Amino acid sequence: MAFQPDHQIVASSETLGWSSLYASRQIEQPYHGKFSAQNSHFLALHLTGPVTIERELDGGVARARVRPGGMFLMPAGWDFGVRLDARLETLRLYVPDSVLRKAAAELCKGDPETIEILPRLGDHDLLIERLGQTCCRMLAEGLGDYFADGIARWIAAQLVTAHSSGLRRAEPKVNGLTSSQLKKISGFIEERLEEQLNIEDIAAAIGLNPIHFARQFKRSTGKPPYQFVIEKRVERARELLAADMPIAQVAAAAGFSHQEHLTRVFGRQTGMTPGAYRRSLLH
């Protein structure tokens, strides 16, 4: 859908190595198209609007005036059609069915293969909207697969709990992590900052499943795990910039994909470039 004539792709995860999620941000022009079933669940978050969307699905037609923040959700396995009547900026997300089934196995009763995601047209989901905004920032900053994996799991969990036919299990009470668990997690991350961290491995370090871990971690720290990792990487970069090490090597040693990635994230966190920060240490 993103490759319709006259559509302009602003940013995408094509070159970022994301394995659990595909994302693209684009400006769409009016069009009418029909699309074959995919094996990923498709979610479009409207960044501008309002616009009128017409959806063709299973022989029926639905029409809605969608405001900014509204979503278009199409489950895997469905053929569908779309008609857009005006220019629109969107964030398109494709969540593999395998990621969604893992979330269903953790969150719902019964066989996760039988759970169906429900089509949505123009619905507003505050958590989905916030995750979409985070995803836009990740695309702009060129963040890698660890961060995308965490967002994909959050999106899958929300689709299962709020937009599916699944009967939810009783959720464990979210009290937060203990101080010893937080210390262990912090040490685990610091020892592996140069690596491509995976949220499954971090959660496993204290014996929790990824979704439950992410909720407990945010309850304890006020931030999601990926943000904590970013801050640890910037902290490591600060330490290394105090030494006589080339900035490109600092980026690699702190776990950034390249020097430009370090510069973008470091600037957002500190308000200055790595070079300016190093020069400030000399005064």
Side-chain angles (χ1 to χ4, degrees):
M1 294 177 67
F3 296 99
Q4 292 294 304
D6 300 324
H7 283 14
Q8 176 189 352
I9 296 180
V10 177
S12 83
S13 61
E14 187 72 34
T15 61
L16 299 179
W18 294 8
S19 59
S20 301
L21 181 69
Y22 176 84
S24 67
R25 182 172 182 171
Q26 55 275 308
I27 297 172
E28 304 181 24
Q29 301 299 334
Y31 72 96
H32 177 215
K34 294 188 177 182
F35 307 96
S36 300
Q38 302 291 321
N39 57 8
S40 292
H41 302 273
F42 167 61
L43 173 65
L45 186 67
H46 287 216
L47 304 178
T48 58
V51 297
T52 299
I53 298 288
E54 188 175 276
R55 183 194 67 198
E56 303 167 25
L57 180 65
D58 200 25
V61 176
R63 188 178 177 89
R65 188 75 171 165
V66 184
R67 295 180 288 108
M71 65 178 179
F72 180 102
L73 174 60
M74 183 56 54
W78 290 77
D79 296 335
F80 65 100
V82 176
R83 185 185 297 275
L84 172 66
D85 75 343
R87 182 181 183 275
L88 174 67
E89 185 172 357
T90 60
L91 173 70
R92 295 180 177 272
L93 302 169
Y94 293 84
V95 181
D97 189 60
S98 58
V99 175
L100 187 128
R101 298 301 158 189
K102 287 181 180 178
E106 293 180 11
L107 297 171
C108 294
K109 299 176 181 179
D111 183 356
E113 296 298 325
T114 65
I115 291 171
E116 297 180 0
I117 298 300
L118 307 175
R120 302 295 194 201
L121 178 60
D123 297 57
H124 283 258
D125 182 314
L126 184 57
L127 179 56
I128 291 289
E129 189 172 356
R130 287 176 177 170
L131 291 170
Q133 292 167 353
T134 299
C135 196
C136 286
R137 291 195 296 270
M138 289 164 53
L139 289 176
E141 295 174 5
L143 298 183
D145 190 44
Y146 165 75
F147 306 98
D149 184 63
I151 292 294
R153 289 176 182 277
W154 271 106
I155 293 172
Q158 184 64 4
L159 293 181
V160 166
T161 56
H163 304 284
S164 83
S165 63
L167 181 62
R168 296 174 62 180
R169 294 176 180 170
E171 295 187 6
K173 190 175 181 181
V174 181
N175 291 321
L177 303 176
T178 65
S179 58
S180 61
Q181 286 176 317
L182 288 171
K183 184 176 180 180
K184 188 172 183 179
I185 288 299
S186 181
F188 181 90
I189 291 171
E190 289 176 354
E191 290 175 3
R192 294 164 174 79
L193 275 181
E194 295 182 49
E195 305 173 12
Q196 290 295 318
L197 290 165
N198 186 297
I199 196 170
E200 287 183 328
D201 294 334
I202 297 175
I206 56 172
L208 295 178
N209 70 58
I211 292 175
H212 187 50
F213 163 71
R215 290 173 174 168
Q216 298 280 25
F217 188 89
K218 189 169 184 179
R219 177 65 179 270
S220 299
T221 66
K223 64 190 70 172
Y226 78 87
Q227 183 63 41
F228 183 79
V229 173
I230 287 175
E231 291 174 2
K232 286 292 184 184
R233 292 191 195 280
V234 170
E235 183 180 323
R236 175 71 57 83
R238 284 176 182 264
E239 295 171 357
L240 296 174
L241 286 168
D244 188 20
M245 177 185 287
I247 293 178
Q249 292 182 21
V250 170
F256 294 95
S257 53
H258 44 69
Q259 183 173 337
E260 183 183 350
H261 183 200
L262 166 64
T263 299
R264 285 198 304 269
V265 177
F266 195 90
R268 183 167 60 85
Q269 293 286 317
T270 68
M272 63 180 72
T273 66
Y277 176 78
R278 171 171 279 170
R279 290 191 294 273
S280 75
L281 299 177
L282 302 177
H283 298 296

